[in-house]
Amino acid sequence: MDARRNKQNLWRLYEKEVPHSRFCDPACGTSPAEKLNPEHLHLLRKAFIGPKAGKVTQANRLKSRNEETGIKLKEFQEILRSVIGPNIDDSWAERFFSEVDISCTGQIRWQQLCSYLLLEYTERQRAFIPTAALLDAQPQFRHCSHNKREPTIRVIAVSHPPPLRYISVSKGGQITVWSSNLHILRTLMLAGDPAEEVANTRRFRGWTTDAVYMSNIHRVAITTDCRDLHFVNISLSSLTEDVHLFGLRNVPTALCYWHDVQCPDQPPLLLLGDEKGGVHLLWFLNTSKGLFKNPSKKENSPQRIFFPDLDEHGDMVSYHHIPKIHQEAINRVMFDHGTNVIMTSSESDTTSVVFINMSLKQEPHVWKLKQGVKCFDYNSSLQLLVTGGSDQTVRLWTRYVTSSPVGTLLGHRATVLDVVIYQPVRQLLSYSRDSELRIWDISAHLCLKTLHLHFPCLQPGRIPEHGNFPFLLLSPPLPEETQPHLVVACKDYLAYLTLAETRRGGGGWLTDEGREFGIHCTPSLSCALFNPTLHQVVTGHVDSSLSLWDVETGRRRLLIVNAHGEETLTCMELDSSHRRLVTGARNGTIKVWNLLNGLNLHKLEPVTNSEVTGLACLHDNQLLAVGWSRQVIQYNIAGDKDLKVRADNSWKSSSVHKSDILAVCQCSSLGVVATASYDGEIIIWRMETKGKILHLQRETQERVALPVDSLLFLQYRAGNRKLRNKGVLVSSQAGRLCFWSITGDKHNYGQFYAPDRPGEYVLTLSSDQTKNNILVSGDTTGCLQIWDISMYALDTQHESTCERPPLLQCWRSHKRPLVCVEVLEIAGRHFILTASDDGFAGLWSKDGCHVGYFGQEVLWNITDPATFSRSLEAAKLSVATANTCSLSAQLLLQLLLKEEEAGEEEEKRK
């Protein structure tokens, strides 16, 4: 184990987890972190560590600095009134005090208050970070079969007139129209030079560089390295090229189109960035009559216009050229009409990104980055510029500061080919040449999700070929029944990924809308317990969620989602003050939570990445953890300020248990701890020496060892001098309950089979610990039995007798196995908590009356039996029926024992 521990850093188990989220009941009131502002904190500090009233000597000042005295509740309430205001509610101040005084010392210090507030503010900031906008676990892939293995340069969305369509343009000039679900509708090849016409066909010879959709005139403009510009009509009924503008001064490399939606009569603008770093501007003055003058043209051929002859179309087109904005080819062009600014980028070190006013009357804003910029995006409402390039880095910039970025996002391992801002959720998407898609939170500068797009065209060891513009983002507003999504192009394939429409935070208030966490969709329960101090029930689920319930009403007070990431919760325990909850998970992680506000106070060092099966908190907040590590591990959670708590291997448990430990239970009055394992072995440990003092194991006729499912110390008996030498420890093994004494010569004080049917197991045990008059057992059929043990296991009995104590009650409380039963004392009455693998946690009176299920819509009043859910089907058995069933089981058990004895006699004769 030690060698394994040295080889791997198990703290990384926490780093890999999905962050947890907490949802609070609004009835709990405003959080202290929401009411306090920086000025309040400054005044609180003065009140805590400033000089007290009266004469203070220099020696006392030094002493007060070194030994900070605590402040009690009443004084704290007065301080809050003087700092925040006289209308502070006493109950809110008391709650605030309790959340800080988590160890229940009755006083708090300034350092404690700072630690609490820092953790609260950090948690609230982390909770504000949303989950990634990407909803698809796996993207949909489509093959551009007409591309002839050439990459797709650009994908365009056409939403008007409906329905939604996509248009992809390949490097070789192939145009493909897709339906909304990415099925090919039509294709078209760009026309070539008429001089090469043979048999009424012309082949396009060149490479396309970019394409843009001219939405108000339903055309797509496509540029090529032949220094020309093609205009393709994309009406619903046809796909034809109608204009071919050729002979441009330079090769156009990037396109942008703008038109005023509010003023349709205003001329739209087409911008072309070229290989020489210049920008060409084309205003179309009369789009109702067309783009250019319409002279006669050949049938089935586009109108050809020689660029130097563009002056002849002066009534239709206005042209302007801005040269040498960049020293290298422009790879992106954008236009912000609100500020009349043209935004361009290149891979030039000196002119990486340039924001230039169209009037040229203002000095341009120039960003200079080593290796330049490959792509950028700009959002005017956020005043945010995002860049990516060959240095594999994504940078965030403010609108007017060019000297340094406000954020640098690292993580890509190849050239960043495209970036886009997804404003509805304030996230950023980036894509690199190695087909890696990353989603970042803009405000926190954190990577929320990384997705490797496994395009079918990818080959091991080879970098896939991409076009210059891999992204197409469709964000609101969108046509009806169209969800926001992202289309990514790689070689001759497209990937379709769905996006969330709104920001999804990591915490908030519990609401009834949708009942996302309601009783009707509750996952299986794995553990539960009752907190007698706070009068709450805590339930743990296999989906790693925790719920805190008010036992007096059944109302949920707190929900923690992803408490251990996505790992199943396996066990839980309260600390000595009952203010903190300790949880263990299947991957070996252990956490400590503040039950008053859901804060994660500590993460405990895992000793193995295997399941934690049991936790026990000793009187001095020394926590013991057991599990598949087969060791007893100790943690000090008494007052650790650090988030991480180291493991203590001082218990002499190495190689004691030969099998996985399944249960642990402690008895402070006897100073011992009991652990039980899968092979049926029970070990008693002395707390003081941390060593083994006793070995217990039930003698069985079975050749296969049976696991111990549960352990329970009868605390009243253990604390009573007359009874502590009797049966004080109860174990459950294959449905048989065994009573053990851990002192004296005789240890087995009786055993009996508890379930009503053979072959079942008892998974959980409980007792009224103030008197130990009853024992409650819950089995794998969902049945609960209440036994009268007031006189049981006080004298030794012969194992073959198997005398059962009187059965007081028996009913089927759940349809699946019970994972927890616990006897509660509330308002002077006894109740029984049940939790089951069926996902429900219920509350019952001692005589079997069903109070209700936690999370049900109708709340109950624990002091008013009229509010109990008597009408709910609980499959309850009457006492007479229960006794009949138990009698039948007893007779059957006697027959089985006789068969075992006969088998033993037969073996002896052989």
Side-chain angles (χ1 to χ4, degrees):
M1 172 58 66
D2 292 336
R4 182 181 180 184
R5 183 176 175 184
N6 293 333
K7 287 181 181 179
Q8 55 180 325
N9 181 13
L10 293 175
W11 285 111
R12 298 192 64 182
L13 292 171
Y14 293 107
E15 299 173 7
K16 297 177 181 179
E17 288 181 351
V18 177
H20 73 273
S21 305
R22 55 178 181 156
F23 298 84
C24 304
D25 185 354
C28 295
T30 308
S31 167
E34 294 182 75
K35 280 194 176 183
L36 298 178
N37 58 37
E39 183 181 355
H40 292 154
L41 294 177
H42 184 67
L43 294 173
L44 279 173
R45 183 178 182 274
K46 281 187 175 181
F48 267 85
I49 66 176
K52 306 295 180 184
K55 189 174 181 179
V56 180
T57 64
Q58 180 68 21
N60 287 336
R61 283 197 188 97
L62 293 174
K63 183 178 180 181
S64 65
R65 288 181 183 177
N66 295 331
E67 299 178 8
E68 182 188 341
T69 58
I71 289 179
K72 295 184 179 180
L73 173 60
K74 289 186 178 180
E75 188 178 358
F76 183 67
Q77 290 174 330
E78 293 301 322
I79 290 174
L80 288 178
R81 288 191 182 95
S82 64
V83 169
I84 301 177
N87 297 324
I88 290 296
D89 184 55
D90 284 343
S91 60
W92 180 86
E94 186 176 350
R95 173 192 161 205
F96 189 0
F97 186 89
S98 299
E99 290 185 11
V100 179
D101 183 26
I102 195 66
S103 299
C104 293
T105 61
Q107 58 183 13
I108 60 175
R109 301 185 303 276
W110 172 246
Q111 187 62 42
Q112 280 181 288
L113 180 61
C114 288
S115 299
Y116 161 77
L117 290 174
L118 180 62
L119 186 60
E120 177 71 33
Y121 288 134
T122 303
E123 178 76 5
R124 292 175 67 83
Q125 182 181 10
R126 185 204 60 78
F128 181 73
I129 299 172
T131 51
L134 190 64
L135 298 180
D136 284 338
Q138 292 295 331
Q140 302 177 38
F141 293 106
R142 292 291 185 270
H143 184 217
C144 306
S145 55
H146 297 270
N147 278 22
K148 300 178 180 178
R149 297 187 179 179
E150 296 168 349
T152 298
I153 297 298
R154 174 80 85 168
V155 182
I156 299 165
V158 179
S159 58
H160 186 78
L164 175 68
R165 289 158 290 152
Y166 304 95
I167 296 175
S168 63
V169 180
S170 76
K171 185 177 181 179
Q174 184 70 45
I175 303 168
T176 304
V177 181
W178 306 76
S179 66
S180 59
N181 53 0
L182 287 178
H183 290 295
I184 296 175
L185 300 176
R186 290 187 298 277
T187 62
L188 176 71
M189 189 69 182
L190 286 180
D193 192 335
E196 297 184 8
E197 184 173 355
V198 178
N200 295 326
T201 61
R202 297 190 301 275
R203 181 185 176 187
F204 170 72
R205 299 182 183 276
W207 304 121
T208 60
T209 55
D210 197 7
V212 70
Y213 177 48
M214 307 168 72
S215 55
N216 62 323
I217 57 175
H218 309 300
R219 283 175 174 79
V220 172
I222 303 172
T223 55
T224 76
D225 63 353
C226 301
R227 295 188 299 140
D228 55 7
L229 180 62
H230 299 257
F231 295 90
V232 179
N233 190 319
I234 55 165
S235 63
L236 287 174
S237 58
S238 64
L239 178 66
T240 57
E241 181 181 346
D242 52 10
V243 179
H244 181 194
L245 181 65
F246 65 98
L248 276 67
R249 297 176 182 175
N250 303 309
V251 174
T253 53
L255 285 171
C256 177
Y257 183 76
W258 170 85
H259 76 279
D260 195 332
V261 179
Q262 305 297 328
C263 302
D265 295 336
Q266 187 171 346
L269 173 64
L270 180 66
L271 300 96
L272 296 84
D274 66 27
E275 62 176 342
K276 300 295 184 181
V279 174
H280 306 261
L281 298 91
L282 290 170
W283 285 272
F284 296 98
L285 307 178
N286 196 350
T287 55
S288 61
K289 295 183 179 180
L291 298 178
F292 305 92
K293 288 184 178 179
N294 293 318
S296 60
K297 62 176 184 177
K298 288 186 177 181
E299 188 177 354
N300 298 326
S301 297
Q303 175 187 359
R304 286 176 54 82
I305 300 173
F306 188 41
F307 185 79
D309 298 336
L310 200 61
D311 292 341
E312 299 177 5
H313 301 262
D315 295 339
M316 301 293 291
V317 179
S318 175
Y319 169 76
H320 182 62
H321 178 224
I322 306 176
K324 297 182 179 179
I325 298 176
H326 295 266
Q327 277 69 49
E328 295 189 19
I330 292 176
N331 49 36
R332 288 287 195 281
V333 179
M334 291 184 70
F335 179 64
D336 182 15
H337 176 256
T339 57
N340 216 30
V341 168
I342 301 171
M343 297 165 280
T344 55
S345 65
S346 74
E347 295 187 72
S348 168
D349 293 348
T350 56
T351 53
S352 304
V353 179
V354 176
F355 281 22
I356 185 171
N357 193 280
M358 191 182 295
S359 65
L360 304 180
K361 294 180 180 179
Q362 301 175 6
E363 284 293 322
H365 290 81
V366 181
W367 284 261
K368 301 178 182 180
L369 285 82
K370 189 176 181 180
Q371 301 182 52
V373 165
K374 188 78 175 176
C375 55
F376 80 91
D377 192 20
Y378 176 75
N379 186 282
S380 57
S381 63
L382 299 178
Q383 295 284 293
L384 179 68
L385 169 70
V386 182
T387 62
S390 302
D391 61 356
Q392 308 171 11
T393 304
V394 178
R395 294 179 175 87
L396 310 180
W397 310 80
T398 58
R399 171 69 173 79
Y400 298 106
V401 179
T402 63
S403 57
S404 60
V406 295
T408 301
L409 311 181
L410 303 174
H412 281 293
R413 294 165 291 181
T415 299
V416 179
L417 298 180
D418 218 341
V419 292
V420 64
I421 298 169
Y422 186 35
Q423 184 179 349
V425 296
R426 298 205 169 208
Q427 293 178 11
L428 167 69
L429 293 85
S430 61
Y431 180 73
S432 55
R433 195 183 297 277
D434 56 355
S435 302
E436 182 181 87
L437 174 66
R438 285 180 174 258
I439 303 177
W440 312 80
D441 181 73
I442 291 176
S443 57
H445 302 169
L446 291 177
C447 181
L448 304 177
K449 191 176 185 66
T450 301
L451 184 66
H452 295 274
L453 301 181
H454 299 289
F455 288 95
C457 57
L458 298 183
Q459 297 180 7
R462 292 190 179 184
I463 298 177
E465 187 177 2
H466 292 84
N468 295 330
F469 311 93
F471 272 175
L472 167 65
L473 174 67
L474 269 74
S475 61
L478 291 169
E480 291 185 7
E481 300 182 359
T482 301
Q483 192 169 0
H485 58 274
L486 177 73
V487 178
V488 185
C490 174
K491 203 172 180 180
D492 53 345
Y493 276 86
L494 302 178
Y496 181 102
L497 303 104
T498 309
L499 301 174
E501 296 187 48
T502 56
R503 186 181 182 88
R504 298 175 295 152
W509 297 115
L510 286 169
T511 60
D512 291 331
E513 283 111 17
R515 300 192 64 82
E516 303 109 295
F517 309 105
I519 189 172
H520 302 296
C521 57
T522 305
S524 297
L525 286 169
S526 55
C527 47
L529 57 78
F530 172 60
N531 187 329
T533 302
L534 300 179
H535 279 211
Q536 290 180 338
V537 167
V538 188
T539 56
H541 301 258
V542 296
D543 68 342
S544 201
S545 63
L546 282 168
S547 291
L548 273 68
W549 310 89
D550 183 356
V551 74
E552 296 176 351
T553 62
R555 180 188 181 97
R556 176 149 41 193
R557 294 300 184 185
L558 180 68
L559 170 66
I560 301 175
V561 181
N562 297 325
H564 286 260
E566 297 176 343
E567 294 291 334
T568 297
L569 288 172
T570 53
C571 54
M572 58 176 61
E573 175 73 347
L574 294 173
D575 77 334
S576 301
S577 67
H578 295 176
R579 299 280 186 86
R580 295 182 294 177
L581 177 73
V582 188
T583 57
R586 182 164 291 173
N587 65 341
T589 56
I590 306 172
K591 294 184 180 181
V592 183
W593 307 87
N594 186 332
L595 285 173
L596 300 176
N597 51 28
L599 288 175
N600 180 207
L601 301 175
H602 307 297
K603 296 178 181 178
L604 279 50
E605 180 186 14
V607 297
T608 177
N609 56 2
S610 57
E611 184 171 339
V612 179
T613 57
L615 299 165
C617 190
L618 310 185
H619 64 280
D620 54 353
N621 272 328
Q622 298 296 313
L623 180 76
L624 302 183
V626 299
W628 291 3
S629 65
R630 304 182 184 182
Q631 296 184 82
V632 179
I633 307 298
Q634 183 170 322
Y635 300 91
N636 181 5
I637 62 170
D640 294 88
K641 297 179 182 179
D642 298 328
L643 178 65
K644 295 182 178 180
V645 179
R646 298 283 297 181
D648 179 358
N649 292 298
S650 59
W651 282 71
K652 304 165 187 176
S653 59
S654 180
S655 303
V656 175
H657 276 289
K658 304 299 188 296
S659 187
D660 299 336
I661 303 176
L662 301 183
V664 60
C665 190
Q666 64 95 12
C667 182
S668 57
S669 58
L670 295 178
V672 297
V673 173
T675 57
S677 55
Y678 189 82
D679 57 5
E681 187 178 42
I682 302 173
I683 303 295
I684 308 298
W685 311 81
R686 178 74 66 190
M687 292 185 194
E688 185 179 357
T689 61
K690 302 180 181 180
K692 167 186 170 181
I693 60 172
L694 186 63
H695 170 275
L696 303 172
Q697 191 157 20
R698 184 173 70 87
E699 295 181 5
T700 62
Q701 305 301 328
E702 300 89 347
R703 297 182 180 180
V704 180
L706 298 175
V708 176
D709 298 303
S710 182
L711 288 175
L712 175 70
F713 270 110
L714 302 177
Q715 302 290 352
Y716 171 76
R717 290 190 183 184
N720 189 310
R721 290 185 178 182
K722 296 180 179 180
L723 302 177
R724 63 172 48 181
N725 294 329
K726 308 299 182 180
V728 297
L729 176 65
V730 187
S731 66
S732 167
Q733 190 174 12
R736 191 185 297 266
L737 304 186
C738 301
F739 287 69
W740 305 91
S741 168
I742 60 174
T743 58
D745 297 331
K746 181 66 176 179
H747 298 298
N748 193 328
Y749 265 69
Q751 57 180 309
F752 65 92
Y753 185 81
D756 289 328
R757 297 186 308 195
E760 301 297 337
Y761 291 76
V762 172
L763 302 180
T764 175
L765 297 167
S766 182
S767 177
D768 59 326
Q769 295 292 14
T770 56
K771 291 295 182 181
N772 291 147
N773 287 328
I774 62 172
L775 176 71
V776 182
S777 59
D779 62 30
T780 48
T781 66
C783 282
L784 176 149
Q785 299 94 5
I786 302 178
W787 309 90
D788 180 0
I789 61 167
S790 57
M791 302 302 295
Y792 188 80
L794 299 182
D795 294 309
T796 58
Q797 63 173 255
H798 193 270
E799 291 183 18
S800 61
T801 305
C802 295
E803 180 185 347
R804 293 159 59 113
L807 180 64
L808 301 177
Q809 293 283 347
C810 176
W811 69 87
R812 191 179 185 192
S813 58
H814 294 267
K815 296 180 179 179
R816 293 182 58 82
L818 290 170
V819 297
C820 171
V821 293
E822 187 169 351
V823 180
L824 323 180
E825 186 171 348
I826 309 168
R829 295 182 59 192
H830 281 104
F831 294 88
I832 297 174
L833 165 69
T834 60
S836 169
D837 185 45
D838 62 9
F840 295 92
L843 192 64
W844 311 78
S845 66
K846 185 180 175 182
D847 58 359
C849 176
H850 188 227
V851 177
Y853 289 120
F854 291 95
Q856 67 184 32
E857 293 185 9
V858 180
L859 302 180
W860 63 74
N861 182 347
I862 200 69
T863 62
D864 183 7
T867 63
F868 296 172
S869 303
R870 298 175 183 271
S871 60
L872 288 179
E873 181 181 359
K876 175 188 169 186
L877 302 175
S878 65
V879 178
T881 306
N883 287 329
T884 302
C885 292
S886 61
L887 179 61
S888 300
Q890 188 171 358
L891 293 173
L892 179 60
L893 184 60
Q894 291 175 357
L895 291 174
L896 292 174
L897 289 173
K898 288 181 179 180
E899 290 180 3
E900 287 183 4
E901 292 175 359
E904 289 180 19
E905 293 296 331
E906 183 68 24
E907 288 184 3
K908 288 179 181 179
R909 285 196 295 270
K910 291 181 178 180

